[in-house]
Amino acid sequence: MGFSSVRQRLFILPALLLSLGLLAGCSGQGAQTPATATSSPGTRKININSAILSELDKIEGQIGIPSLSNRIQAARPYASPEELVSKKILTQEQFDRVKDQVSVEDVELVGEAKDIDFMTKLGLMRGHLLVAKEWLDRKQPTLALPHIGHPIEEIYVDLEGQLDERKVKPFKAALQKLQVQAQFSANSPELTTTYAEAIQGIDSAMATLPNTQRKDPRFILGVISEMLDAAGTEYGAAISNGKVSARIEYEDSRGFVLYAQQLFAEIAPILIKSDAPRVKAIRESLNKLQTAWPAIEAPATPVMSVDQVRTAIKSVELTGQKVASF
Amino acid sequence: MVQKRIYQRRDLIRLGLLGGAGVGAGIALPQLVRYFQAQSIDIPTTTDAPPISGMNPMTILRDFDRGTVKQENGRTVREFRIEATTSTLQLNSAVNFVSWNFNGRVPGPTIRVNAGDRVRVIFLNRGGHAHSMHFHGVHAAAMDGIRPIRNGTATIYEFDAEPYGMHVYHCHVSPVARHIGKGLYGAFIIDPPGGRPPADEMVMVMGGFDINEDGKNELYAFNGIPNYYLEHPIRIRQNQLVRLYLLNMVELDPVLTFHLHANIFRLFRTGRSLQPDEESDVVTMGTAERHILEFSYALLGRYMFHPHQDVIAEKGCMGHFDVVDSTGRTGDAGSHAH
């Protein structure tokens, strides 16, 4: 009896130490914890473990090493910022120049990086729903279901926290309605309306971003880079032993590239006035990339290898970055 | 009673509240005894247990990852690096299964720490989809591993290992049954202060594979590969204590049992006690339920273990123990009986 009470008291101490540690050492562990939200925007750091490319580009710009952002991304994970040096991404001297700006704590994105991330996630949803539609049109609602589910299960949860501040009308219910109808009443004519409502929900979320961003080729190219990055990894997950072994991942990547094409089609007329050669280069790379997904039905043997797809993606990204530097 | 007093002292020492040679000498003896006892554990060598698809269930069986130990601010920190990946598992001669997993193996690494250690898991997702690591046990909400970690990004989970017992970690991204069914799970053992008595310790995780994504499992396995221990029996020493850390991670079937042939095991539910809760030869386990089982065999020979849902057992969830004497012989089952 005396034993248990002593133990209980002893356990309070570690709990206290834990909470102190959380506040002092690793407050950033929770992007969810309010403690992180108090730092002023000027002192916000870039989380090298999770930052999107366009955010890492700020470091790249300061150090002046081409494609440093990609190298930082490829050498993840980092237990501490100093691992940028031990993993030979930066020299000690280069690291010292940026060390106040990098972190491994989960810091909320701010500014343009946050907006690109927001738009990308909505774009991924649109990509999922594009391929869902292809299956629905073929009267294959069961095959469409994973692509209706992913936006709810994997992506919406990531956006939920910023819907209020962006004054976005929540659209989870519209996605869920589509999911339920595809599952239980796919033959109902109402499905078409429900699909349109889901798309409408995503589009009105995008519309909360200012026009200056949504019509800005530089901004949209940032989004396209992120979308293609996601497509490349899904494609890599789809192929094994020279075959398309994971159908869902093949279809995911198809959807992401299709939507990236749509985004590009919207900015190309604007961009062509200032930079026609690069518009042509990006369009050619995208079209070449698109051949990897000849149809919603995965080909028996992949049209392009994973490496070929990655190379084509890289070429779009690099040209896009050059546009961005103007 | 004596044992309980030792644990109290150890707690105090762990927290740095007590020091001095007197106390140090007080715990040195049991530590020393335990050390020499541990040296006496004699694990029979196994030959002819080949790896399959780059992982070896016979190695996974007794492989405990205790992390990289660091001392920070007077505390023991155990650091683990876990990567979510995809890889193809050859489940049998006809079935290749694209698994999603931690560190290229199903189940993922058996993470093992001491109660009160600081656990730091540096998690990188290279699995294509968003994934996460959700640990069972006690921790702050921010460390609960519910938030999806995007492909290509990393996060750091950090918490104190409490309470001691047999726990589990798994991906908690929805649909969870698919992420778990694909292989994103592993055992998480927190040793009690002072540890448990020496034994031949092993981990078995029961998993199910829905190979055609029809919402039903077609194949099952202990430690990733169906029928591996049936074809490559686990050799254990006669009369030597075996401590089995057992976890049921089969999704889509609500419940499995675990049955041990020709024996009675002592059961430590969720590993939450140092005294057995009961004895049996069958224990019922829902998904994510896990226990510690202790037993030894007095008689040489070959003994089966399997869930007693025999249809499930016959779809890959069966194994053998070969009980061998000090020279490594199983003898003829029966003729060595005495």
Side-chain angles (χ1 to χ4, degrees):
Chain A
M1 198 215 111
F3 166 67
S4 68
S5 62
V6 170
R7 278 190 71 91
Q8 275 168 12
R9 258 177 269 140
L10 286 174
F11 275 109
I12 295 172
L13 258 158
L16 277 174
L17 290 172
L18 167 65
S19 49
L20 283 172
L22 273 174
L23 288 174
C26 52
S27 58
Q29 289 308 328
Q32 304 97 325
T33 57
T36 53
T38 55
S39 61
S40 69
T43 63
R44 289 224 203 228
K45 295 183 175 185
I46 294 168
N47 183 345
I48 50 176
N49 275 329
S50 61
I52 60 177
L53 283 173
S54 55
E55 202 185 4
L56 292 172
D57 284 347
K58 287 177 200 147
I59 306 295
E60 181 176 316
Q62 286 177 61
I63 303 288
I65 304 176
S67 64
L68 177 66
S69 302
N70 295 92
R71 289 176 55 205
I72 292 176
Q73 209 176 47
R76 284 172 180 166
Y78 304 94
S80 67
E82 286 73 21
E83 287 193 5
L84 283 171
V85 179
S86 60
K87 291 187 170 194
K88 301 196 188 322
I89 307 300
L90 296 179
T91 64
Q92 185 65 48
E93 182 271 325
Q94 289 165 334
F95 176 71
D96 289 341
R97 278 155 59 194
V98 294
K99 69 178 174 195
D100 293 339
Q101 302 162 46
V102 291
S103 161
V104 293
E105 297 174 3
D106 283 341
V107 187
E108 272 185 52
L109 296 175
V110 286
E112 189 174 77
K114 183 177 179 178
D115 293 339
I116 287 181
D117 183 63
F118 180 72
M119 175 93 178
T120 301
K121 280 169 182 155
L122 295 169
L124 294 174
M125 287 188 180
R126 285 292 307 264
H128 275 298
L129 291 189
L130 276 175
V131 286
K133 185 77 167 45
E134 292 191 87
W135 284 128
L136 290 175
D137 289 346
R138 283 166 170 72
K139 304 288 172 213
Q140 297 271 19
T142 313
L143 299 180
L145 271 176
H147 304 298
I148 301 171
H150 282 172
I152 308 171
E153 290 141 1
E154 289 188 3
I155 310 176
Y156 195 91
V157 63
D158 249 9
L159 296 176
E160 229 159 0
Q162 42 181 310
L163 297 185
D164 263 0
E165 61 185 88
R166 291 184 183 275
K167 300 192 169 41
V168 170
K169 193 165 154 254
F171 56 98
K172 192 177 187 176
L175 294 171
Q176 284 168 330
K177 191 175 165 195
L178 179 63
Q179 188 180 33
V180 169
Q181 281 189 10
Q183 197 170 2
F184 297 107
S185 59
N187 293 326
S188 156
E190 208 193 324
L191 190 66
T192 314
T193 325
T194 310
Y195 181 86
E197 282 165 10
I199 296 288
Q200 175 58 35
I202 300 170
D203 285 354
S204 50
M206 281 185 187
T208 61
L209 291 168
N211 250 335
T212 46
Q213 279 181 332
R214 282 185 302 124
K215 306 272 185 230
D216 175 7
R218 211 179 41 86
F219 180 86
I220 294 298
L221 283 167
V223 175
I224 289 173
S225 274
E226 299 297 332
M227 300 247 350
L228 295 183
D229 208 45
T233 45
E234 293 285 353
Y235 193 74
I239 310 289
S240 63
N241 297 326
K243 278 190 243 162
V244 182
S245 57
R247 176 184 62 75
I248 296 174
E249 283 70 31
Y250 165 86
E251 295 163 11
D252 284 345
S253 49
R254 171 179 169 84
F256 299 162
V257 173
L258 283 174
Y259 192 67
Q261 289 266 36
Q262 287 189 15
L263 285 175
F264 185 68
E266 286 168 30
I267 54 159
I270 306 167
L271 187 58
I272 205 157
K273 292 171 199 157
S274 58
D275 200 342
R278 290 210 171 97
V279 168
K280 184 162 173 280
I282 293 173
R283 185 175 286 140
E284 277 169 9
S285 298
L286 278 175
N287 289 342
K288 180 160 183 293
L289 184 62
Q290 189 69 64
T291 60
W293 297 268
I296 183 70
E297 295 88 357
T301 48
V303 175
M304 286 170 83
S305 71
V306 176
D307 279 344
Q308 285 171 323
V309 162
R310 288 196 178 136
T311 307
I313 287 173
K314 181 93 343 195
S315 139
V316 175
E317 280 177 7
L318 287 176
T319 318
Q321 277 170 15
K322 283 176 195 144
V323 172
S325 64
F326 275 98
Chain B
M1 207 51 216
V2 172
Q3 212 180 13
K4 284 180 178 175
R5 284 188 53 205
I6 292 168
Y7 292 142
Q8 284 183 39
R9 281 193 205 146
R10 291 201 159 190
D11 285 338
L12 295 171
I13 289 161
R14 184 159 51 80
L15 292 165
L17 298 177
L18 281 184
V23 181
I27 60 153
L29 189 59
Q31 265 181 349
L32 222 56
V33 169
R34 197 156 278 135
Y35 173 78
F36 284 110
Q37 281 175 337
Q39 297 307 301
S40 70
I41 293 297
D42 175 23
I43 297 172
T45 51
T46 303
T47 53
D48 188 33
I52 293 178
S53 305
M55 57 174 235
N56 189 326
M58 198 58 79
T59 311
I60 285 174
L61 185 74
R62 293 185 175 99
D63 183 15
F64 300 95
D65 186 348
R66 293 171 191 273
T68 305
V69 179
K70 298 183 172 176
Q71 296 298 325
E72 292 179 12
N73 308 319
R75 300 198 56 193
T76 300
V77 178
R78 289 183 190 270
E79 201 170 277
F80 299 86
R81 289 185 181 244
I82 306 283
E83 190 171 324
T85 55
T86 62
S87 63
T88 304
L89 289 187
Q90 190 168 1
L91 297 182
N92 59 37
S93 57
V95 176
N96 282 304
F97 179 78
V98 177
S99 77
W100 304 347
N101 55 53
F102 295 118
N103 286 6
R105 43 172 276 184
V106 178
T110 298
I111 295 179
R112 187 162 186 179
V113 300
N114 300 319
D117 286 347
R118 187 79 167 161
V119 181
R120 181 179 299 145
V121 179
I122 299 153
F123 172 60
L124 172 66
N125 179 11
R126 291 216 186 279
H129 286 285
H131 294 307
S132 74
M133 289 181 80
H134 162 68
F135 285 82
H136 287 216
V138 175
H139 46 247
M143 294 297 130
D144 203 33
I146 301 300
R147 193 167 48 94
I149 305 303
R150 271 180 299 122
N151 179 64
T153 66
T155 195
I156 301 171
Y157 300 111
E158 190 164 322
F159 52 87
D160 287 353
E162 296 291 354
Y164 77 78
M166 169 62 178
H167 302 302
V168 48
Y169 64 90
H170 58 87
C171 174
H172 210 295
V173 170
S174 189
V176 178
R178 182 161 190 246
H179 285 245
I180 287 178
K182 282 288 205 176
L184 287 163
Y185 52 79
F188 174 41
I189 299 170
I190 303 181
D191 284 322
R196 294 178 192 271
D200 177 2
E201 298 198 308
M202 54 184 74
V203 179
M204 284 190 208
V205 184
M206 298 191 277
F209 297 105
D210 175 9
I211 57 177
N212 56 2
E213 309 217 329
D214 64 349
K216 298 187 196 77
N217 292 315
E218 284 75 33
L219 287 169
Y220 299 83
F222 285 104
N223 291 349
I225 303 296
N227 289 329
Y228 190 90
Y229 301 127
L230 195 68
E231 289 152 21
H232 311 285
I234 299 166
R235 287 157 63 84
I236 57 175
R237 198 71 77 186
Q238 182 180 27
N239 291 322
Q240 179 166 269
L241 180 65
V242 172
R243 179 172 299 117
L244 171 61
Y245 295 88
L246 180 66
L247 162 64
N248 172 22
M249 278 317 280
V250 174
E251 288 278 3
L252 309 176
D253 295 283
V255 73
L256 269 69
T257 58
F258 176 86
H259 169 50
L260 183 66
H261 277 216
N263 212 328
I264 293 286
F265 52 74
R266 290 177 294 285
L267 181 73
F268 303 75
R269 291 193 165 272
T270 320
R272 285 291 297 127
S273 63
L274 301 173
Q275 299 300 321
D277 298 296
E278 63 194 79
E279 297 189 348
S280 183
D281 65 355
V282 177
V283 58
T284 305
M285 303 169 83
T287 304
E289 207 168 343
R290 65 279 175 190
H291 302 303
I292 296 175
L293 279 59
E294 289 185 1
F295 55 89
S296 60
Y297 279 91
L299 304 181
L300 299 178
R302 177 165 290 184
Y303 302 96
M304 294 189 92
F305 57 86
H306 56 82
H308 227 307
Q309 286 67 33
D310 301 297
V311 174
I312 289 177
E314 285 161 10
K315 288 176 179 169
C317 213
M318 273 198 278
H320 282 135
F321 283 117
D322 271 0
V323 180
V324 303
D325 64 15
S326 56
T327 64
R329 282 189 301 245
T330 47
D332 293 326
S335 71
H336 272 69
H338 44 260

